[in-house]
Amino acid sequence: MKIFLIEDEVPALENLKMCIASIDSNIEIAGTAASVAESLSWLKTNTAPDLILMDIQLSDGLSFHILKEDNIKCPVIFITAYDKYMMDAFEYNCIDYLLKPVECNKLSNALHKYKNLQHHFINNYYSIIDYLQASKKNKSRIIVKKGTEFLSLKLEDVTYFFTEHKLVFAVDKDNRKFLCETNSLSDIEEMLDEKTFFRANRKYIVNANYITKFKSIDKSKISVEILMPLNEEIIVSQENAASFKKWIGEI
């Protein structure tokens, strides 16, 4: 079994290595990384591991971004000093959630759980993961707030989502603004159909059905115009420009 370790604290990383060696000498540590960027680079240039042990809070952000960007299908054991991310972790390929400092016996139990799952589902594990990932994107409504009332808003009616003053809002086709329950645009992005919605930049997610036109600006960026009037341009960043053109062309 090959394991990829993602941990930005040196003592914690060494503890994991020590525990793994004591649990099973046949386990190979395929690689290590200490940040989101380093993890993505390793995963793009190496064969996928059998299992990932992943710290959640890294120096350059939450490790959930690694799973989102790289579409990882192998199982993950999350490790963190906090339990507030537990429910988020189980939305991914999580088979266990360990709190720091990691105890060897608890890591051993988690690895044993992985082996049991592998034994029972070896022939259809990836199809199950594909199904679970797809089901997350099948939501047709989102709970939003208008004043003191909570409403169930159809996602097909949302023209765009945006973040402002650390709050997230949805704007519908009638130009009504609603407050979303989460304060993270990334959380919203996770539940959306990627064929319909696109993360233009850190502030906006747009619905393809309400894009009226777009144009290239500054050579490498894209300005997107939508049906609803806005006080500012929606600019697709340089990093996302190529992905936007590919996405809009496949709709």
Side-chain angles (χ1 to χ4, degrees):
M1 175 169 57
K2 295 182 178 181
I3 295 180
F4 179 39
L5 303 179
I6 302 175
E7 172 60 70
D8 63 349
E9 298 177 4
V10 175
L13 178 62
E14 293 305 315
N15 179 60
L16 286 175
K17 290 180 178 179
M18 181 271 294
C19 284
I20 290 170
S22 67
I23 292 167
D24 188 342
S25 60
N26 292 318
I27 296 177
E28 175 186 344
I29 297 177
T32 64
S35 66
V36 172
E38 189 179 344
S39 300
L40 288 171
S41 177
W42 190 94
L43 289 164
K44 289 177 180 177
T45 55
N46 291 273
T47 303
D50 298 307
L51 177 67
I52 297 176
L53 269 62
M54 180 181 290
D55 186 12
I56 292 180
Q57 288 187 307
L58 301 174
S59 58
D60 57 347
L62 298 180
S63 59
F64 297 137
H65 296 301
I66 301 169
L67 301 175
K68 182 183 68 175
E69 290 291 330
D70 200 72
N71 193 27
I72 294 170
K73 292 187 176 181
C74 70
V76 176
I77 295 174
F78 285 101
I79 299 170
T80 184
Y82 309 95
D83 60 4
K84 65 180 181 179
Y85 298 109
M86 185 175 295
M87 296 309 298
D88 291 330
F90 282 99
E91 290 187 9
Y92 296 94
N93 309 348
C94 177
I95 61 171
D96 215 330
Y97 186 102
L98 304 179
L99 293 177
K100 290 183 177 181
V102 173
E103 299 176 14
C104 290
N105 65 320
K106 291 186 177 180
L107 178 57
S108 178
N109 291 338
L111 293 176
H112 184 67
K113 181 188 294 185
Y114 163 74
K115 290 180 180 179
N116 283 340
L117 286 171
Q118 186 183 44
H119 175 73
H120 288 290
F121 301 111
I122 189 65
N123 293 324
N124 61 355
Y125 175 80
Y126 292 123
S127 62
I128 293 172
I129 292 298
D130 286 339
Y131 171 79
L132 291 175
Q133 289 181 335
S135 66
K136 291 192 300 181
K137 302 274 186 175
N138 287 337
K139 290 188 176 181
S140 61
R141 291 176 174 271
I142 183 173
I143 301 300
V144 294
K145 190 175 182 181
K146 187 72 172 177
T148 59
E149 297 180 336
F150 287 92
L151 306 171
S152 178
L153 180 64
K154 289 183 179 179
L155 285 172
E156 65 184 40
D157 291 339
V158 177
T159 58
Y160 64 94
F161 294 93
F162 74 99
T163 181
E164 186 175 63
H165 304 306
K166 297 183 179 181
L167 298 174
V168 176
F169 298 93
V171 178
D172 73 359
K173 61 183 180 181
D174 297 317
N175 206 24
R176 297 179 299 173
K177 185 171 75 171
F178 302 92
L179 177 65
C180 298
E181 288 192 293
T182 178
N183 60 0
S184 168
L185 207 59
S186 295
D187 290 345
I188 296 292
E189 186 180 8
E190 283 297 317
M191 69 175 67
L192 300 176
D193 182 353
E194 60 189 16
K195 293 181 180 179
T196 304
F197 290 90
F198 186 85
R199 178 74 175 267
N201 51 46
R202 293 183 179 181
K203 184 172 182 179
Y204 287 101
I205 296 176
V206 294
N207 185 333
N209 296 314
Y210 297 96
I211 293 176
T212 54
K213 60 183 178 181
F214 62 92
K215 62 181 179 181
S216 297
I217 60 172
D218 298 334
K219 296 182 179 179
S220 55
K221 298 179 181 178
I222 295 174
S223 173
V224 177
E225 190 172 304
I226 61 174
L227 190 62
M228 297 295 104
L230 285 174
N231 294 326
E232 63 179 340
E233 284 186 295
I234 297 179
I235 304 297
V236 178
S237 63
Q238 179 180 347
E239 295 77 12
N240 293 337
S243 297
F244 175 83
K245 290 179 180 178
K246 185 176 185 293
W247 169 77
I248 201 74
E250 291 178 350
I251 295 175

